[in-house]
Amino acid sequence: MTVIALPRVRRRAPVALGACLLSFAAFWWAQRAAHVSMIDLMVYRAEGETVRAGGDLYALRTTEAHLPTTYPPFAALLFTPLTLLDTSTMRTLATAGNLALLVVFVALSLRLVDHARVEGVWWASAAAVWCEPVWTTVRYGQINLLLGVLVLWDLTRRPGHRWAGVGIGLAAAIKLTPALFAVFLLVTGVVAYARRGPGGPWLRHVRGSAVAFAGATLLAACALPYDSWRFWSRMVFETGRVGLVEDTANQSLRGVLARLLHTTQPGLWWVATAAVAGSLGLGVAVAAELRGRRAWAVAACAVTALLISPVSWSHHWVWCVPMVLILGTRGRAAAVGAAQVTAAGTSLVFCSYALWWVPHGPGRLELRQTGAQLTLSALYEGAGLVFLTLIGVRLWRTYRTV
């Protein structure tokens, strides 16, 4: 039986690779046919040019949309090599790089659930490239997949690895949102220690993250002292610089509340909602981690960060990829279970592009959405809350059977 099955197994990977390359080629053609602007990539390049010219980084306004600099100064340092490339080459390399990062992101996500077969990576990548967050990430030339790879590379290392924490620390130094993963590890370590358990591995992981973050931030401070002082003393608190809170693309709880309440300032409603969602989401992540469910814990932490962030653009939700993979592999033993149905529903949400079916654009049309339109423009948040609820229920059932 083994002799007969082995050639079939060997044929699966080339077929899956061919399907993935065909899907990527079609995706590349579709992006070019859509005349994607890669506007965020152009902002990154302008930041690199400003650093090289010694200009004021946070006074920068670039592209036809007059977009500002929003990331910490360390990110601008990393963008300086972009100034060495012409626009066409830069866009080509950015597209190819993001597609390669998607494959790595899928591989690391499957490693979390112990399903990292080569053919599985190719098949999942071929499908994942068409979901709206990935499409938009490549369309804008964004760095979401890079940040996701840094975090997952860090959290799929063996316990006590010498580089533990470096990925999360660097990701947080580039963009602050991944810092919640360090908070998650810290709380896990403290809870484990309070239960008289071995909290050391998590606390050492946090220490590594803190060292990496501090090192990258200090490097930026030495190279860009004025910009670093300005960012950490002022710009980090000005969330309004990122964009309009009610924008349909803002798939955070703050964006949902702004559209629901028809206001540009959800204020205390958002603070209270974010505090509750953050506490519950982080609690679910910590509980999952302490019970050896690393995949659930990582995805729960990512979803929590996206929900409570002041602004989570739709392309930030590339974490839908591990969400779907975790749901799809969690209940594999059953013929058709709730996990598979939920995985299919989650895939539909992120591949439907439904949030763009509602009125949006100039004139703040989002503030006048109807009930049905509000539902469509809150699909990502709804999927995230359902995901956290499913994990919480699963953990509660597991706890009751222990």
Side-chain angles (χ1 to χ4, degrees):
M1 292 294 291
T2 304
V3 176
I4 296 175
L6 188 57
R8 293 180 181 176
V9 173
R10 288 178 176 174
R11 284 197 297 267
R12 290 175 186 168
V15 170
L17 174 59
C20 183
L21 292 176
L22 183 62
S23 179
F24 280 10
F27 176 88
W28 195 306
W29 176 86
Q31 288 263 318
R32 292 298 173 266
H35 302 291
V36 296
S37 63
M38 292 197 170
I39 190 170
D40 287 344
L41 183 63
M42 303 307 295
V43 174
Y44 300 157
R45 185 181 186 182
E47 290 181 26
E49 290 173 342
T50 302
V51 169
R52 293 187 62 183
D56 187 340
L57 189 60
Y58 295 100
L60 174 69
R61 292 295 185 277
T62 187
T63 73
E64 65 276 8
H66 302 288
L67 296 176
T69 301
T70 58
Y71 294 170
F74 179 66
L77 288 181
L78 298 183
F79 296 148
T80 54
L82 296 177
T83 62
L84 305 177
L85 304 172
D86 61 81
T87 301
S88 178
T89 302
M90 180 179 65
R91 287 176 172 173
T92 299
L93 292 178
T95 301
N98 265 320
L99 292 177
L101 286 169
L102 174 62
V103 174
V104 178
F105 191 53
V106 169
L108 292 173
S109 299
L110 287 172
R111 181 186 293 180
L112 276 175
V113 292
D114 297 323
H115 285 276
R117 295 178 180 177
V118 175
E119 62 270 21
V121 172
W122 296 127
W123 284 118
S125 299
V129 74
W130 295 101
C131 71
E132 190 273 341
V134 173
W135 170 277
T136 315
T137 288
V138 181
R139 172 191 175 187
Y140 292 148
Q142 262 284 342
I143 58 172
N144 306 301
L145 290 168
L146 172 62
L147 299 178
V149 165
L150 283 173
V151 171
L152 286 188
W153 172 82
D154 202 339
L155 293 172
T156 53
R157 302 296 91 193
R158 59 177 173 78
H161 193 277
R162 69 172 71 180
W163 296 105
V166 171
I168 292 174
L170 290 178
I174 297 170
K175 190 173 183 178
L176 296 178
T177 308
L180 189 65
F181 286 97
V183 176
F184 148 69
L185 292 169
L186 175 62
V187 175
T188 304
V190 170
V191 172
Y193 181 79
R195 294 179 176 179
R196 302 184 183 277
W202 293 288
L203 297 179
R204 285 192 296 270
H205 206 144
V206 174
R207 184 174 59 197
S209 299
V211 170
F213 175 82
T217 302
L218 288 174
L219 174 63
C222 292
L224 305 168
Y226 173 74
D227 292 319
S228 294
W229 169 256
R230 194 174 180 198
F231 177 82
W232 293 108
S233 64
R234 177 183 171 186
M235 298 303 171
V236 69
F237 304 108
E238 295 185 1
T239 58
R241 299 177 74 252
V242 179
L244 299 177
V245 64
E246 76 276 6
D247 197 312
T248 297
N250 183 13
Q251 293 293 300
S252 70
L253 289 173
R254 186 167 178 241
V256 170
L257 287 172
R259 295 187 290 272
L260 179 64
L261 300 175
H262 306 293
T263 177
T264 60
Q265 298 294 333
L268 292 177
W269 285 104
W270 169 64
V271 173
T273 304
V276 173
S279 300
L280 294 177
L282 197 60
V284 168
V286 170
E289 177 71 8
L290 290 174
R291 294 178 193 176
R293 304 286 189 171
R294 169 60 63 91
W296 295 1
V298 172
C301 184
V303 169
T304 301
L306 291 166
L307 290 173
I308 67 175
S309 176
V311 175
S312 293
W313 300 126
S314 67
H315 52 77
H316 295 167
W317 283 83
V318 292
W319 286 95
C320 68
V321 175
M323 283 171 60
V324 171
L325 292 175
I326 289 169
L327 289 170
T329 57
R330 189 186 68 176
R332 224 171 178 182
V336 178
Q340 287 83 358
V341 173
T342 307
T346 305
S347 299
L348 181 62
V349 165
F350 289 101
C351 291
S352 67
Y353 295 68
L355 73 160
W356 299 114
W357 300 355
V358 304
H360 62 277
R364 296 194 158 179
L365 302 177
E366 291 89 344
L367 294 178
R368 299 189 294 274
Q369 289 181 356
T370 64
Q373 292 167 348
L374 287 168
T375 301
L376 289 177
S377 65
L379 282 177
Y380 289 10
E381 297 88 342
L385 291 172
V386 169
F387 181 79
L388 290 177
T389 302
L390 286 174
I391 294 179
V393 170
R394 179 67 175 176
L395 290 171
W396 179 69
R397 289 177 177 174
T398 303
Y399 175 78
R400 290 194 65 187
T401 57
V402 173

